[in-house]
Amino acid sequence: MLRHALALGTALLVLLWLAVSFTPLTARLADGLVRRDAIADADAVFVFASKMQPDGDPYTDATSRLVKGVELIAAGRAPYLVVSEVPAPTGSHAALARAWLAAFAHRGEVVDIGEITNTHDEAVELARLCRGRGWTRILAGT
């Protein structure tokens, strides 16, 4: 009896996995979950920190976030690209951002809010920067 219940449970899990993996079911269930807000001009673009390799090359997350930030600056959506740094041993987000802005956007200025240890600290430092500069609208790249 237990053997049959285990076999039936396994078969049901396999069927569920097949349905999720190989049918449009997952896409239909996810419809409406992703926000697609219109991008408007802002005071700055903020790129959330992500680990970098010690030699300064970005990992995939850092690359995609920074590329989006540079795209927004290149499109003229904001004059400043705000970045933060993660603790050593990693390369510098600010140095890479400056190089990419110069090479690809040909505009914009990088503002580094310094080293952070978590997203909360990052938000606190960004808020402090915004208050100090009078910024009210930030585009965030996650």
Side-chain angles (χ1 to χ4, degrees):
M1 181 74 164
L2 182 59
R3 180 178 278 178
H4 294 300
L6 186 59
L8 179 63
T10 302
L12 289 174
L13 285 175
V14 167
L15 287 174
L16 178 63
W17 176 77
L18 289 170
V20 168
S21 299
F22 299 106
T23 69
L25 174 67
T26 305
R28 285 194 198 128
L29 291 174
D31 270 351
L33 294 179
V34 177
R35 288 182 58 168
R36 299 203 191 313
D37 297 340
I39 297 174
D41 292 345
D43 298 310
V45 175
F46 177 65
V47 176
F48 285 84
S50 183
K51 284 190 175 185
M52 300 271 289
Q53 297 179 42
D55 66 359
D57 286 341
Y59 287 113
T60 306
D61 288 345
T63 299
S64 63
R65 292 173 183 183
L66 191 54
V67 164
K68 187 60 177 178
V70 170
E71 283 177 3
L72 291 167
I73 297 294
R77 294 297 186 178
Y80 300 99
L81 180 63
V82 181
V83 298
S84 56
E85 304 292 350
V86 296
T90 65
S92 169
H93 282 89
L96 184 60
R98 285 185 185 94
W100 285 9
L101 280 182
F104 305 119
H106 307 292
R107 66 168 72 193
E109 178 184 330
V110 174
V111 178
D112 185 355
I113 61 173
E115 188 175 294
I116 53 93
T117 55
N118 57 49
T119 306
H120 174 266
D121 293 348
E122 205 169 28
V124 168
E125 290 303 316
L126 179 61
R128 182 176 297 135
L129 175 69
C130 289
R131 279 190 302 275
R133 293 197 177 203
W135 292 345
T136 58
R137 184 168 179 86
I138 303 294
L139 297 174
T142 61

